[in-house]
Amino acid sequence: MAMRIVANRPDPAILGLPWHLPLEDWPDDVVVPLPRGLSRHVVRIVRLGDRVYAVKETQDDIAFREYRMLRDLQRIGMPAVLPQGVVTGREDAEGDELPAALITRHLQFSLPYRSLFSRGMTAEHVPKLIDAIVVLLVRLHLAGFYWGDVSLSNVLFRRNAGEFSAYLVDAETGELRDEVGQRMREYDITVGCENIFAELMDLEASGAVHEIDGFAIIEHLRSRYEALWSELTDLEEFRADEMWRIERRVERLNDLGFDVDELDIVTDLDGDTVRIQPKVVDLGHHAREIQALTGMTVEDNQARRLLNDLASFTAHFDLGREDRHLVASRWMHEIFEPIMAMIPPDATGKLEPAEVFHEILEHRWYLSEQAGHEIGIHETARDYIDRMLTAKPDEAIAGDEDITAGE
């Protein structure tokens, strides 16, 4: 049987992998020792040149289905790992058939939840992980994606200015539909509560984390999901002389990090009552703004933090009447880029640049409190990099690309 590779922008180096061996037997000179989440399948992470891939063994039809599903999610801009290809027709040296393999790109600066707890995260941080999953789940549901297997194990987490962003890893059970109805959304939430409760109890039993209130966590998941879904989709009714409420609704969504791409506005026959309902919303309000100003691609909370510092810089130098793009360019040249240049080469894989800058801002507040006066940003950066950043474990494999993909 001939081996077949179906790939998106194929990397010729993939052909050189030891496809004649089961994944569990792949040698150490191929496999990269990166943290992996729990999986029903055998998963290996490999590095080919400057690219890192996750390879998962599964059945032919499942591999192709998940590959197509991940491509569809990529097409509509959902936060999920990027599919690279599917390998079928594998045989070992004796001619026996081996499972198909799904290849995805490793998501740089991302970690499975168990690795976060092994790096100092405690029970008090769990709600932040849940908030990240809630945002992911709401976005997927709004896009018409029914997940079917919501769990901590099926996402990767990236740091996001003290919070986290969640990326879908396993789309094996997912379906793209015209709309995810209430019963299906409720089922996803119920499955998520059951899976996450079991995962947290397993973490506690293993000693990785202590004193987790699993019931409070799943209640937190339900309440946060309902609140966010309501804010993004609810119909709002008001008098015709309260048109300012349209702008207020949009501002609330912007504060949550969402842009309103389409708003349904309906008046009654007499024009006395107005009803508004968001129809199309998309996370990334602040990220799009900072990208337009600086060209940087960052998570939304990171973008919010950068924009706040840019606003402070603008006020400090009385640049409010200047073109924002020119001010942002000056801020990049005088503040952001010199600080990033301070980071030694062997520390560039510790955190993303935007996350480093966020932590420097946090560190400046701490140093200024200690000193009783404002500490300069560059002095703060030097202290943070020398004493704190260099002591952190690496969270990325250095490469030429900003985003690779995961399991």
Side-chain angles (χ1 to χ4, degrees):
M1 180 167 54
M3 189 174 75
R4 176 191 179 198
I5 299 178
V6 175
N8 173 29
R9 297 180 181 177
D11 183 348
I14 289 174
L15 290 169
L17 291 171
W19 297 114
H20 63 286
L21 297 176
L23 284 189
E24 60 186 359
D25 295 336
W26 280 19
D28 292 341
D29 62 346
V30 172
V31 176
V32 177
L34 277 178
R36 301 196 309 270
L38 296 179
S39 175
R40 295 181 294 268
H41 310 279
V42 178
V43 178
R44 292 292 181 264
I45 298 177
V46 300
R47 180 169 187 164
L48 300 175
D50 60 2
R51 295 186 177 185
V52 182
Y53 300 100
V55 184
K56 177 173 74 173
E57 282 186 337
T58 184
Q59 298 174 24
D60 291 25
D61 56 340
I62 294 176
F64 278 112
R65 184 181 184 281
E66 186 168 8
Y67 172 74
R68 302 296 181 195
M69 183 63 66
L70 288 172
R71 291 207 66 183
D72 286 341
L73 291 173
Q74 178 187 4
R75 174 177 51 80
I76 61 177
M78 289 296 102
V81 295
L82 304 181
Q84 181 66 27
V86 174
V87 181
T88 58
R90 299 171 61 210
E91 292 181 349
D92 62 18
E94 285 72 40
D96 294 327
E97 186 177 348
L98 293 174
L102 172 68
I103 309 170
T104 55
R105 302 275 296 280
H106 173 69
L107 183 64
Q108 195 175 23
F109 290 104
S110 69
L111 291 169
Y113 76 100
R114 286 179 174 272
S115 295
L116 289 169
F117 287 100
S118 70
R119 293 168 184 245
M121 207 167 81
T122 63
E124 66 181 17
H125 297 107
V126 174
K128 293 184 177 182
L129 294 186
I130 300 305
D131 289 344
I133 284 189
V134 165
V135 171
L136 173 62
L137 185 55
V138 168
R139 290 187 67 190
L140 291 171
H141 283 168
L142 288 172
F145 181 79
Y146 162 70
W147 193 341
D149 193 15
V150 182
S151 71
L152 291 170
S153 298
N154 285 338
V155 299
L156 288 171
F157 294 94
R158 296 178 75 180
R159 299 187 189 276
N160 185 10
E163 307 293 329
F164 293 96
S165 295
Y167 287 75
L168 179 71
V169 175
D170 193 330
E172 190 174 298
T173 59
E175 299 176 17
L176 266 176
R177 313 167 67 91
D178 292 336
E179 179 181 303
V180 180
Q182 182 175 348
R183 290 182 63 181
M184 298 189 80
R185 290 193 298 108
E186 180 60 34
Y187 182 80
D188 260 352
I189 296 169
T190 299
V191 169
C193 288
E194 293 172 353
N195 286 340
I196 291 171
F197 182 87
E199 288 166 326
L200 292 177
M201 294 303 97
D202 182 62
L203 267 181
E204 188 173 42
S206 71
V209 66
H210 304 288
E211 299 181 0
I212 286 185
D213 187 342
F215 292 102
I217 293 300
I218 59 175
E219 179 57 35
H220 177 80
L221 189 156
R222 282 188 175 277
S223 62
R224 292 303 290 266
Y225 177 92
E226 291 168 2
L228 182 57
W229 183 266
S230 176
E231 187 62 54
L232 294 178
T233 64
D234 272 3
L235 178 71
E236 186 175 347
E237 184 175 305
F238 48 87
R239 299 191 311 274
D241 60 355
E242 297 179 302
M243 297 297 285
W244 53 268
R245 290 177 60 171
I246 296 176
E247 186 175 352
R248 179 70 58 84
R249 180 71 176 270
V250 173
E251 287 175 351
R252 290 204 311 269
L253 294 175
N254 289 165
D255 287 341
L256 289 170
F258 288 84
D259 279 322
V260 181
D261 292 332
E262 188 175 303
L263 188 67
D264 193 16
I265 304 174
V266 180
T267 62
D268 63 8
L269 291 175
D270 298 325
D272 295 329
T273 302
V274 179
R275 299 178 183 87
I276 62 172
Q277 184 173 33
K279 286 297 183 181
V280 182
V281 294
D282 189 25
L283 184 66
H285 173 75
H286 305 98
R288 282 185 282 272
E289 185 175 358
I290 199 69
Q291 185 176 42
L293 290 171
T294 68
M296 289 192 291
T297 300
V298 301
E299 300 289 347
D300 205 66
N301 283 345
Q302 293 170 342
R304 188 198 299 261
R305 200 70 198 270
L306 296 175
L307 288 168
N308 286 343
D309 195 68
L310 175 58
S312 298
F313 178 86
T314 303
H316 179 77
F317 290 100
D318 192 22
L319 301 173
R321 292 177 296 277
E322 301 291 332
D323 182 276
R324 285 193 77 205
H325 290 83
L326 295 178
V327 176
S329 178
R330 178 175 168 182
W331 174 81
M332 287 286 289
H333 180 70
E334 297 181 12
I335 304 296
F336 189 84
E337 290 173 351
I339 287 175
M340 293 304 111
M342 293 182 187
I343 302 174
D346 60 355
T348 55
K350 305 293 185 180
L351 294 172
E352 288 182 282
E355 192 67 22
V356 170
F357 195 82
H358 156 73
E359 294 212 349
I360 287 171
L361 294 178
E362 294 285 296
H363 192 58
R364 181 170 62 172
W365 178 87
Y366 172 76
L367 291 182
S368 299
E369 282 284 302
Q370 280 192 321
H373 60 85
E374 184 75 12
I375 302 296
I377 187 67
H378 295 93
E379 181 183 349
T380 301
R382 174 53 59 201
D383 185 75
Y384 169 82
I385 291 169
D386 291 346
R387 294 199 303 112
M388 304 181 72
L389 181 64
T390 53
K392 290 180 177 290
D394 279 9
E395 294 194 0
I397 289 182
D400 292 336
E401 301 190 356
D402 292 331
I403 297 199
T404 51
E407 333 169 38

